[in-house]
Amino acid sequence: MQQGKCLDNLLEKIDKLKKKYNAVILAHNYQPGEIQDIADFTGDSLGLSITASKTDADVIVFCGVLFMAETAAILSPDKIVLLPEKNAGCPMADMITGEELKQLKQKHPDAIVVCYVNSSAEVKAESDYCCTSANAVEVVNSLPADKKIIFVPDKNLGGYVKQMTSRDIILWPGYCPSHVMITEKDIKAARKQLPGAIVMSHPECNEPVKALSDKILSTGQMLKFAKQSRIRKFIVATETGIIHTLKKENPDAEFIAAAPKAVCPNMKKIPLEKILWALEDLESSPDKKTKYRVTVPEDIRKRAKKALDRMVEILPKN
Ligand code: 13P
Ligand code: SF4
């Protein structure tokens, strides 16, 4: 981590270029603390998608992983979306290709396809609806009850949705390598370490972990719940990056990670310097075709946007 004058210099340079290009910095809740601290918006996948679609900025610097930057580019084709580390992918999103989904659809031609936002633009383009961990149950519940549903790529979120909705759901065997690191043993040990704590787990955790939890929440829902809960002790069963903001927003409460090893290496690939480099590269590329820019081919973008728009239509308006 940068310190003192050096950090001030770096932040000053970032700020100057942000102003010059009318840029905003969006950061996912799993990003390193120093990135979350300087971001204009932090949030879960749903909150960030909505922010990306509504912002007046000309440039979005996305501190997250590729599918998140792609989602921003799908929703805001006129904006320049920068991902400061092009190799920040999501292994779960890469567990299904557009072609594999096409083949699955051929086997179940009458099924409605719901894809988790943690998927490539090609997979979204092959889907009828998109969802996030915050609204997957609502999205599936809004679909006709007699319809079979294909849910990709996360078998753990999909399994949870199946359980909550009792719907006929065909699952794809994808999973998040970081969340499946959390085991039942970890939850039991954490409960002993922090007796009386509430266990909040992410739906990407496996079924036995969720069964041992008190609350199953997206990262955005965890942040909201922790602020409102009367009990002030929490065991957090998700990627550990969120604990930074949980602690910052709740100085009176105690948080421990269910499994400190549950780190997503892809979410930690963007230090502050890379934000500056991405903005500097924009400065030296008059045609704005910088290597950090994320774009989606127009035919795929239009089809993927339909799946995202259908998700947004289902959301409660407030
Ligand atoms: P949410 O922030 O939407 O809960 O997503 C979790 C995740 O794994 C993102 O990669
Ligand atoms: Fe993908 Fe899991 Fe990392 Fe999220 S935490 S980006 S689902 S690997």
Side-chain angles (χ1 to χ4, degrees), residues 28 30 45 64-68 88-93 95 116 118 154 175-180 202 204 238-239 262-267:
H28 187 264
Y30 296 156
S45 307
V65 292
L66 180 61
F67 77 80
M68 296 179 173
C90 166
M92 181 212 279
M95 286 178 192
Y116 188 20
N118 298 34
D154 186 12
Y175 61 91
C176 165
S178 309
H179 280 86
V180 301
H202 195 276
E204 287 176 22
T238 190
E239 210 279 345
V263 173
C264 173
N266 285 286
M267 283 285 183

PDB file of all heavy atoms in Angstrom, residues 28 30 45 64-68 88-93 95 116 118 154 175-180 202 204 238-239 262-267, ligand 2:
ATOM      1  N   HIS A  28     -16.219  -2.849  -7.106  1.00  0.00           N
ATOM      2  CA  HIS A  28     -17.014  -3.907  -6.482  1.00  0.00           C
ATOM      3  C   HIS A  28     -16.599  -4.054  -5.013  1.00  0.00           C
ATOM      4  O   HIS A  28     -15.466  -3.727  -4.637  1.00  0.00           O
ATOM      5  CB  HIS A  28     -16.825  -5.240  -7.230  1.00  0.00           C
ATOM      6  CG  HIS A  28     -17.743  -6.303  -6.718  1.00  0.00           C
ATOM      7  ND1 HIS A  28     -17.350  -7.221  -5.766  1.00  0.00           N
ATOM      8  CD2 HIS A  28     -19.050  -6.561  -6.994  1.00  0.00           C
ATOM      9  CE1 HIS A  28     -18.383  -8.014  -5.492  1.00  0.00           C
ATOM     10  NE2 HIS A  28     -19.424  -7.636  -6.226  1.00  0.00           N
ATOM     11  N   TYR A  30     -15.628  -6.432  -3.383  1.00  0.00           N
ATOM     12  CA  TYR A  30     -14.496  -7.327  -3.112  1.00  0.00           C
ATOM     13  C   TYR A  30     -13.147  -6.675  -3.432  1.00  0.00           C
ATOM     14  O   TYR A  30     -12.098  -7.309  -3.273  1.00  0.00           O
ATOM     15  CB  TYR A  30     -14.589  -8.607  -3.947  1.00  0.00           C
ATOM     16  CG  TYR A  30     -15.772  -9.507  -3.675  1.00  0.00           C
ATOM     17  CD1 TYR A  30     -16.224 -10.390  -4.656  1.00  0.00           C
ATOM     18  CD2 TYR A  30     -16.414  -9.515  -2.447  1.00  0.00           C
ATOM     19  CE1 TYR A  30     -17.298 -11.237  -4.421  1.00  0.00           C
ATOM     20  CE2 TYR A  30     -17.492 -10.353  -2.214  1.00  0.00           C
ATOM     21  CZ  TYR A  30     -17.934 -11.216  -3.203  1.00  0.00           C
ATOM     22  OH  TYR A  30     -18.986 -12.060  -2.981  1.00  0.00           O
ATOM     23  N   SER A  45     -22.997  -6.395  -7.735  1.00  0.00           N
ATOM     24  CA  SER A  45     -23.116  -6.412  -9.200  1.00  0.00           C
ATOM     25  C   SER A  45     -24.365  -5.667  -9.661  1.00  0.00           C
ATOM     26  O   SER A  45     -24.330  -4.963 -10.673  1.00  0.00           O
ATOM     27  CB  SER A  45     -23.168  -7.853  -9.702  1.00  0.00           C
ATOM     28  OG  SER A  45     -22.079  -8.560  -9.195  1.00  0.00           O
ATOM     29  N   GLY A  64     -13.056  -4.059 -10.988  1.00  0.00           N
ATOM     30  CA  GLY A  64     -13.782  -5.311 -10.753  1.00  0.00           C
ATOM     31  C   GLY A  64     -13.209  -6.330 -11.703  1.00  0.00           C
ATOM     32  O   GLY A  64     -11.999  -6.308 -11.973  1.00  0.00           O
ATOM     33  N   VAL A  65     -14.063  -7.176 -12.257  1.00  0.00           N
ATOM     34  CA  VAL A  65     -13.583  -8.178 -13.216  1.00  0.00           C
ATOM     35  C   VAL A  65     -14.256  -7.961 -14.577  1.00  0.00           C
ATOM     36  O   VAL A  65     -15.205  -7.182 -14.685  1.00  0.00           O
ATOM     37  CB  VAL A  65     -13.785  -9.621 -12.693  1.00  0.00           C
ATOM     38  CG1 VAL A  65     -12.885  -9.895 -11.495  1.00  0.00           C
ATOM     39  CG2 VAL A  65     -15.246  -9.879 -12.334  1.00  0.00           C
ATOM     40  N   LEU A  66     -13.756  -8.681 -15.580  1.00  0.00           N
ATOM     41  CA  LEU A  66     -14.158  -8.421 -16.968  1.00  0.00           C
ATOM     42  C   LEU A  66     -15.670  -8.406 -17.202  1.00  0.00           C
ATOM     43  O   LEU A  66     -16.193  -7.506 -17.862  1.00  0.00           O
ATOM     44  CB  LEU A  66     -13.480  -9.436 -17.905  1.00  0.00           C
ATOM     45  CG  LEU A  66     -13.811  -9.287 -19.390  1.00  0.00           C
ATOM     46  CD1 LEU A  66     -13.367  -7.929 -19.926  1.00  0.00           C
ATOM     47  CD2 LEU A  66     -13.158 -10.397 -20.208  1.00  0.00           C
ATOM     48  N   PHE A  67     -16.411  -9.392 -16.610  1.00  0.00           N
ATOM     49  CA  PHE A  67     -17.849  -9.412 -16.938  1.00  0.00           C
ATOM     50  C   PHE A  67     -18.541  -8.144 -16.434  1.00  0.00           C
ATOM     51  O   PHE A  67     -19.545  -7.711 -16.993  1.00  0.00           O
ATOM     52  CB  PHE A  67     -18.524 -10.693 -16.403  1.00  0.00           C
ATOM     53  CG  PHE A  67     -18.815 -10.705 -14.920  1.00  0.00           C
ATOM     54  CD1 PHE A  67     -19.918 -10.053 -14.397  1.00  0.00           C
ATOM     55  CD2 PHE A  67     -17.979 -11.377 -14.044  1.00  0.00           C
ATOM     56  CE1 PHE A  67     -20.188 -10.075 -13.032  1.00  0.00           C
ATOM     57  CE2 PHE A  67     -18.241 -11.402 -12.690  1.00  0.00           C
ATOM     58  CZ  PHE A  67     -19.342 -10.741 -12.179  1.00  0.00           C
ATOM     59  N   MET A  68     -18.015  -7.544 -15.383  1.00  0.00           N
ATOM     60  CA  MET A  68     -18.629  -6.322 -14.840  1.00  0.00           C
ATOM     61  C   MET A  68     -18.404  -5.146 -15.788  1.00  0.00           C
ATOM     62  O   MET A  68     -19.314  -4.361 -16.059  1.00  0.00           O
ATOM     63  CB  MET A  68     -18.048  -6.001 -13.463  1.00  0.00           C
ATOM     64  CG  MET A  68     -18.370  -7.060 -12.450  1.00  0.00           C
ATOM     65  SD  MET A  68     -17.670  -6.702 -10.845  1.00  0.00           S
ATOM     66  CE  MET A  68     -18.435  -8.018  -9.914  1.00  0.00           C
ATOM     67  N   ALA A  88      -8.081  -9.467 -15.413  1.00  0.00           N
ATOM     68  CA  ALA A  88      -8.950  -9.739 -14.262  1.00  0.00           C
ATOM     69  C   ALA A  88     -10.235 -10.371 -14.788  1.00  0.00           C
ATOM     70  O   ALA A  88     -11.176  -9.673 -15.172  1.00  0.00           O
ATOM     71  CB  ALA A  88      -9.240  -8.448 -13.498  1.00  0.00           C
ATOM     72  N   GLY A  89     -10.234 -11.691 -14.843  1.00  0.00           N
ATOM     73  CA  GLY A  89     -11.422 -12.396 -15.346  1.00  0.00           C
ATOM     74  C   GLY A  89     -12.201 -12.994 -14.192  1.00  0.00           C
ATOM     75  O   GLY A  89     -11.865 -12.790 -13.025  1.00  0.00           O
ATOM     76  N   CYS A  90     -13.243 -13.735 -14.507  1.00  0.00           N
ATOM     77  CA  CYS A  90     -13.984 -14.455 -13.467  1.00  0.00           C
ATOM     78  C   CYS A  90     -14.034 -15.917 -13.897  1.00  0.00           C
ATOM     79  O   CYS A  90     -14.682 -16.253 -14.895  1.00  0.00           O
ATOM     80  CB  CYS A  90     -15.400 -13.906 -13.333  1.00  0.00           C
ATOM     81  SG  CYS A  90     -16.486 -14.989 -12.358  1.00  0.00           S
ATOM     82  N   PRO A  91     -13.332 -16.803 -13.150  1.00  0.00           N
ATOM     83  CA  PRO A  91     -13.313 -18.218 -13.539  1.00  0.00           C
ATOM     84  C   PRO A  91     -14.716 -18.808 -13.669  1.00  0.00           C
ATOM     85  O   PRO A  91     -14.956 -19.653 -14.533  1.00  0.00           O
ATOM     86  CB  PRO A  91     -12.534 -18.898 -12.418  1.00  0.00           C
ATOM     87  CG  PRO A  91     -11.837 -17.824 -11.677  1.00  0.00           C
ATOM     88  CD  PRO A  91     -12.528 -16.525 -11.956  1.00  0.00           C
ATOM     89  N   MET A  92     -15.647 -18.351 -12.833  1.00  0.00           N
ATOM     90  CA  MET A  92     -17.006 -18.901 -12.947  1.00  0.00           C
ATOM     91  C   MET A  92     -17.652 -18.502 -14.279  1.00  0.00           C
ATOM     92  O   MET A  92     -18.255 -19.335 -14.964  1.00  0.00           O
ATOM     93  CB  MET A  92     -17.896 -18.419 -11.804  1.00  0.00           C
ATOM     94  CG  MET A  92     -19.294 -18.991 -11.881  1.00  0.00           C
ATOM     95  SD  MET A  92     -20.509 -17.881 -11.238  1.00  0.00           S
ATOM     96  CE  MET A  92     -20.325 -18.194  -9.501  1.00  0.00           C
ATOM     97  N   ALA A  93     -17.478 -17.228 -14.650  1.00  0.00           N
ATOM     98  CA  ALA A  93     -18.055 -16.763 -15.918  1.00  0.00           C
ATOM     99  C   ALA A  93     -17.471 -17.555 -17.090  1.00  0.00           C
ATOM    100  O   ALA A  93     -18.151 -17.812 -18.078  1.00  0.00           O
ATOM    101  CB  ALA A  93     -17.797 -15.270 -16.088  1.00  0.00           C
ATOM    102  N   MET A  95     -16.773 -20.615 -17.126  1.00  0.00           N
ATOM    103  CA  MET A  95     -17.140 -22.040 -17.092  1.00  0.00           C
ATOM    104  C   MET A  95     -18.227 -22.405 -18.102  1.00  0.00           C
ATOM    105  O   MET A  95     -18.604 -23.569 -18.214  1.00  0.00           O
ATOM    106  CB  MET A  95     -17.549 -22.457 -15.674  1.00  0.00           C
ATOM    107  CG  MET A  95     -16.347 -22.576 -14.754  1.00  0.00           C
ATOM    108  SD  MET A  95     -16.821 -23.016 -13.088  1.00  0.00           S
ATOM    109  CE  MET A  95     -15.278 -22.715 -12.211  1.00  0.00           C
ATOM    110  N   TYR A 116     -26.823 -15.753 -14.770  1.00  0.00           N
ATOM    111  CA  TYR A 116     -26.260 -14.929 -13.695  1.00  0.00           C
ATOM    112  C   TYR A 116     -25.409 -13.863 -14.380  1.00  0.00           C
ATOM    113  O   TYR A 116     -24.761 -14.147 -15.402  1.00  0.00           O
ATOM    114  CB  TYR A 116     -25.398 -15.858 -12.820  1.00  0.00           C
ATOM    115  CG  TYR A 116     -24.858 -15.296 -11.525  1.00  0.00           C
ATOM    116  CD1 TYR A 116     -25.414 -14.186 -10.912  1.00  0.00           C
ATOM    117  CD2 TYR A 116     -23.781 -15.928 -10.895  1.00  0.00           C
ATOM    118  CE1 TYR A 116     -24.901 -13.714  -9.712  1.00  0.00           C
ATOM    119  CE2 TYR A 116     -23.271 -15.463  -9.694  1.00  0.00           C
ATOM    120  CZ  TYR A 116     -23.836 -14.348  -9.110  1.00  0.00           C
ATOM    121  OH  TYR A 116     -23.329 -13.873  -7.930  1.00  0.00           O
ATOM    122  N   ASN A 118     -22.683 -12.882 -13.692  1.00  0.00           N
ATOM    123  CA  ASN A 118     -21.303 -13.379 -13.768  1.00  0.00           C
ATOM    124  C   ASN A 118     -21.194 -14.312 -14.977  1.00  0.00           C
ATOM    125  O   ASN A 118     -21.097 -15.535 -14.850  1.00  0.00           O
ATOM    126  CB  ASN A 118     -20.924 -14.174 -12.506  1.00  0.00           C
ATOM    127  CG  ASN A 118     -20.967 -13.345 -11.244  1.00  0.00           C
ATOM    128  OD1 ASN A 118     -21.795 -12.451 -11.111  1.00  0.00           O
ATOM    129  ND2 ASN A 118     -20.089 -13.641 -10.310  1.00  0.00           N
ATOM    130  N   ASP A 154     -23.856 -20.616 -12.459  1.00  0.00           N
ATOM    131  CA  ASP A 154     -23.538 -21.021 -11.080  1.00  0.00           C
ATOM    132  C   ASP A 154     -24.530 -22.033 -10.523  1.00  0.00           C
ATOM    133  O   ASP A 154     -25.686 -21.705 -10.241  1.00  0.00           O
ATOM    134  CB  ASP A 154     -23.502 -19.769 -10.183  1.00  0.00           C
ATOM    135  CG  ASP A 154     -23.024 -20.090  -8.770  1.00  0.00           C
ATOM    136  OD1 ASP A 154     -22.512 -21.212  -8.554  1.00  0.00           O
ATOM    137  OD2 ASP A 154     -23.173 -19.237  -7.870  1.00  0.00           O
ATOM    138  N   TYR A 175     -19.258 -22.872 -10.859  1.00  0.00           N
ATOM    139  CA  TYR A 175     -19.151 -22.491  -9.438  1.00  0.00           C
ATOM    140  C   TYR A 175     -18.055 -21.439  -9.273  1.00  0.00           C
ATOM    141  O   TYR A 175     -17.209 -21.259 -10.148  1.00  0.00           O
ATOM    142  CB  TYR A 175     -18.833 -23.725  -8.557  1.00  0.00           C
ATOM    143  CG  TYR A 175     -17.517 -24.366  -8.922  1.00  0.00           C
ATOM    144  CD1 TYR A 175     -16.327 -23.981  -8.305  1.00  0.00           C
ATOM    145  CD2 TYR A 175     -17.452 -25.333  -9.933  1.00  0.00           C
ATOM    146  CE1 TYR A 175     -15.117 -24.537  -8.683  1.00  0.00           C
ATOM    147  CE2 TYR A 175     -16.249 -25.886 -10.323  1.00  0.00           C
ATOM    148  CZ  TYR A 175     -15.082 -25.482  -9.685  1.00  0.00           C
ATOM    149  OH  TYR A 175     -13.874 -26.024 -10.064  1.00  0.00           O
ATOM    150  N   CYS A 176     -18.090 -20.760  -8.133  1.00  0.00           N
ATOM    151  CA  CYS A 176     -17.051 -19.776  -7.833  1.00  0.00           C
ATOM    152  C   CYS A 176     -15.955 -20.446  -6.999  1.00  0.00           C
ATOM    153  O   CYS A 176     -16.215 -20.888  -5.871  1.00  0.00           O
ATOM    154  CB  CYS A 176     -17.643 -18.606  -7.049  1.00  0.00           C
ATOM    155  SG  CYS A 176     -16.348 -17.591  -6.288  1.00  0.00           S
ATOM    156  N   PRO A 177     -14.722 -20.519  -7.522  1.00  0.00           N
ATOM    157  CA  PRO A 177     -13.651 -21.209  -6.783  1.00  0.00           C
ATOM    158  C   PRO A 177     -13.372 -20.581  -5.412  1.00  0.00           C
ATOM    159  O   PRO A 177     -12.959 -21.282  -4.491  1.00  0.00           O
ATOM    160  CB  PRO A 177     -12.428 -21.052  -7.702  1.00  0.00           C
ATOM    161  CG  PRO A 177     -12.969 -20.684  -9.043  1.00  0.00           C
ATOM    162  CD  PRO A 177     -14.284 -20.012  -8.832  1.00  0.00           C
ATOM    163  N   SER A 178     -13.610 -19.296  -5.272  1.00  0.00           N
ATOM    164  CA  SER A 178     -13.335 -18.645  -3.980  1.00  0.00           C
ATOM    165  C   SER A 178     -14.419 -18.975  -2.955  1.00  0.00           C
ATOM    166  O   SER A 178     -14.119 -19.230  -1.777  1.00  0.00           O
ATOM    167  CB  SER A 178     -13.236 -17.128  -4.157  1.00  0.00           C
ATOM    168  OG  SER A 178     -12.341 -16.829  -5.195  1.00  0.00           O
ATOM    169  N   HIS A 179     -15.672 -18.970  -3.380  1.00  0.00           N
ATOM    170  CA  HIS A 179     -16.750 -19.257  -2.423  1.00  0.00           C
ATOM    171  C   HIS A 179     -16.801 -20.731  -2.009  1.00  0.00           C
ATOM    172  O   HIS A 179     -17.159 -21.033  -0.871  1.00  0.00           O
ATOM    173  CB  HIS A 179     -18.103 -18.819  -3.002  1.00  0.00           C
ATOM    174  CG  HIS A 179     -18.325 -17.341  -2.870  1.00  0.00           C
ATOM    175  ND1 HIS A 179     -17.861 -16.445  -3.801  1.00  0.00           N
ATOM    176  CD2 HIS A 179     -18.904 -16.605  -1.895  1.00  0.00           C
ATOM    177  CE1 HIS A 179     -18.166 -15.219  -3.418  1.00  0.00           C
ATOM    178  NE2 HIS A 179     -18.792 -15.280  -2.263  1.00  0.00           N
ATOM    179  N   VAL A 180     -16.449 -21.644  -2.934  1.00  0.00           N
ATOM    180  CA  VAL A 180     -16.516 -23.054  -2.539  1.00  0.00           C
ATOM    181  C   VAL A 180     -15.368 -23.454  -1.605  1.00  0.00           C
ATOM    182  O   VAL A 180     -15.371 -24.544  -1.053  1.00  0.00           O
ATOM    183  CB  VAL A 180     -16.633 -24.031  -3.737  1.00  0.00           C
ATOM    184  CG1 VAL A 180     -17.871 -23.731  -4.566  1.00  0.00           C
ATOM    185  CG2 VAL A 180     -15.382 -24.046  -4.595  1.00  0.00           C
ATOM    186  N   HIS A 202     -23.027 -15.889   1.241  1.00  0.00           N
ATOM    187  CA  HIS A 202     -23.377 -15.508  -0.124  1.00  0.00           C
ATOM    188  C   HIS A 202     -23.995 -16.717  -0.817  1.00  0.00           C
ATOM    189  O   HIS A 202     -23.551 -17.851  -0.577  1.00  0.00           O
ATOM    190  CB  HIS A 202     -22.103 -15.051  -0.861  1.00  0.00           C
ATOM    191  CG  HIS A 202     -22.393 -14.309  -2.118  1.00  0.00           C
ATOM    192  ND1 HIS A 202     -22.637 -14.959  -3.305  1.00  0.00           N
ATOM    193  CD2 HIS A 202     -22.516 -12.982  -2.375  1.00  0.00           C
ATOM    194  CE1 HIS A 202     -22.889 -14.040  -4.244  1.00  0.00           C
ATOM    195  NE2 HIS A 202     -22.823 -12.833  -3.700  1.00  0.00           N
ATOM    196  N   GLU A 204     -23.426 -17.897  -3.555  1.00  0.00           N
ATOM    197  CA  GLU A 204     -22.420 -18.669  -4.305  1.00  0.00           C
ATOM    198  C   GLU A 204     -21.743 -19.730  -3.441  1.00  0.00           C
ATOM    199  O   GLU A 204     -20.993 -20.569  -3.949  1.00  0.00           O
ATOM    200  CB  GLU A 204     -21.348 -17.731  -4.882  1.00  0.00           C
ATOM    201  CG  GLU A 204     -21.832 -16.907  -6.052  1.00  0.00           C
ATOM    202  CD  GLU A 204     -20.795 -15.923  -6.554  1.00  0.00           C
ATOM    203  OE1 GLU A 204     -19.590 -16.137  -6.308  1.00  0.00           O
ATOM    204  OE2 GLU A 204     -21.177 -14.933  -7.182  1.00  0.00           O
ATOM    205  N   THR A 238     -18.183 -14.956   2.624  1.00  0.00           N
ATOM    206  CA  THR A 238     -18.047 -14.552   1.231  1.00  0.00           C
ATOM    207  C   THR A 238     -16.597 -14.114   1.038  1.00  0.00           C
ATOM    208  O   THR A 238     -15.763 -14.251   1.946  1.00  0.00           O
ATOM    209  CB  THR A 238     -19.048 -13.436   0.854  1.00  0.00           C
ATOM    210  OG1 THR A 238     -19.030 -13.235  -0.557  1.00  0.00           O
ATOM    211  CG2 THR A 238     -18.758 -12.101   1.532  1.00  0.00           C
ATOM    212  N   GLU A 239     -16.286 -13.574  -0.135  1.00  0.00           N
ATOM    213  CA  GLU A 239     -14.930 -13.080  -0.402  1.00  0.00           C
ATOM    214  C   GLU A 239     -14.596 -12.033   0.663  1.00  0.00           C
ATOM    215  O   GLU A 239     -15.426 -11.175   0.988  1.00  0.00           O
ATOM    216  CB  GLU A 239     -14.902 -12.479  -1.816  1.00  0.00           C
ATOM    217  CG  GLU A 239     -13.583 -12.560  -2.525  1.00  0.00           C
ATOM    218  CD  GLU A 239     -12.587 -11.492  -2.148  1.00  0.00           C
ATOM    219  OE1 GLU A 239     -12.990 -10.478  -1.515  1.00  0.00           O
ATOM    220  OE2 GLU A 239     -11.412 -11.653  -2.485  1.00  0.00           O
ATOM    221  N   ALA A 262     -10.803 -17.380   1.695  1.00  0.00           N
ATOM    222  CA  ALA A 262     -11.762 -17.149   0.597  1.00  0.00           C
ATOM    223  C   ALA A 262     -11.493 -15.801  -0.079  1.00  0.00           C
ATOM    224  O   ALA A 262     -12.236 -14.840   0.066  1.00  0.00           O
ATOM    225  CB  ALA A 262     -13.196 -17.215   1.123  1.00  0.00           C
ATOM    226  N   VAL A 263     -10.397 -15.779  -0.819  1.00  0.00           N
ATOM    227  CA  VAL A 263      -9.981 -14.551  -1.509  1.00  0.00           C
ATOM    228  C   VAL A 263     -10.099 -14.810  -3.007  1.00  0.00           C
ATOM    229  O   VAL A 263      -9.726 -15.881  -3.483  1.00  0.00           O
ATOM    230  CB  VAL A 263      -8.516 -14.200  -1.129  1.00  0.00           C
ATOM    231  CG1 VAL A 263      -7.998 -13.036  -1.954  1.00  0.00           C
ATOM    232  CG2 VAL A 263      -8.426 -13.885   0.367  1.00  0.00           C
ATOM    233  N   CYS A 264     -10.621 -13.838  -3.736  1.00  0.00           N
ATOM    234  CA  CYS A 264     -10.681 -13.979  -5.198  1.00  0.00           C
ATOM    235  C   CYS A 264      -9.473 -13.250  -5.788  1.00  0.00           C
ATOM    236  O   CYS A 264      -9.420 -12.013  -5.763  1.00  0.00           O
ATOM    237  CB  CYS A 264     -11.970 -13.365  -5.731  1.00  0.00           C
ATOM    238  SG  CYS A 264     -12.002 -13.322  -7.537  1.00  0.00           S
ATOM    239  N   PRO A 265      -8.496 -14.003  -6.309  1.00  0.00           N
ATOM    240  CA  PRO A 265      -7.274 -13.344  -6.813  1.00  0.00           C
ATOM    241  C   PRO A 265      -7.565 -12.344  -7.928  1.00  0.00           C
ATOM    242  O   PRO A 265      -6.880 -11.336  -8.059  1.00  0.00           O
ATOM    243  CB  PRO A 265      -6.416 -14.498  -7.330  1.00  0.00           C
ATOM    244  CG  PRO A 265      -7.156 -15.753  -7.086  1.00  0.00           C
ATOM    245  CD  PRO A 265      -8.495 -15.455  -6.495  1.00  0.00           C
ATOM    246  N   ASN A 266      -8.596 -12.593  -8.701  1.00  0.00           N
ATOM    247  CA  ASN A 266      -8.922 -11.682  -9.816  1.00  0.00           C
ATOM    248  C   ASN A 266      -9.431 -10.335  -9.328  1.00  0.00           C
ATOM    249  O   ASN A 266      -9.298  -9.330 -10.024  1.00  0.00           O
ATOM    250  CB  ASN A 266      -9.944 -12.351 -10.732  1.00  0.00           C
ATOM    251  CG  ASN A 266      -9.290 -13.413 -11.571  1.00  0.00           C
ATOM    252  OD1 ASN A 266      -8.572 -13.103 -12.504  1.00  0.00           O
ATOM    253  ND2 ASN A 266      -9.469 -14.660 -11.187  1.00  0.00           N
ATOM    254  N   MET A 267     -10.048 -10.336  -8.168  1.00  0.00           N
ATOM    255  CA  MET A 267     -10.573  -9.082  -7.603  1.00  0.00           C
ATOM    256  C   MET A 267      -9.465  -8.236  -6.975  1.00  0.00           C
ATOM    257  O   MET A 267      -9.701  -7.125  -6.539  1.00  0.00           O
ATOM    258  CB  MET A 267     -11.636  -9.391  -6.549  1.00  0.00           C
ATOM    259  CG  MET A 267     -12.963  -9.774  -7.145  1.00  0.00           C
ATOM    260  SD  MET A 267     -13.790  -8.294  -7.778  1.00  0.00           S
ATOM    261  CE  MET A 267     -15.345  -9.004  -8.324  1.00  0.00           C
TER     262      MET A 267
HETATM  263 FE1  SF4 B   2     -15.851 -14.758 -10.098  1.00  0.00          FE
HETATM  264 FE2  SF4 B   2     -15.999 -15.751  -7.641  1.00  0.00          FE
HETATM  265 FE3  SF4 B   2     -14.164 -13.941  -8.190  1.00  0.00          FE
HETATM  266 FE4  SF4 B   2     -16.761 -13.265  -8.078  1.00  0.00          FE
HETATM  267  S1  SF4 B   2     -15.524 -13.962  -6.385  1.00  0.00           S
HETATM  268  S2  SF4 B   2     -15.251 -12.674  -9.629  1.00  0.00           S
HETATM  269  S3  SF4 B   2     -17.712 -15.142  -8.888  1.00  0.00           S
HETATM  270  S4  SF4 B   2     -14.302 -16.001  -9.075  1.00  0.00           S
END
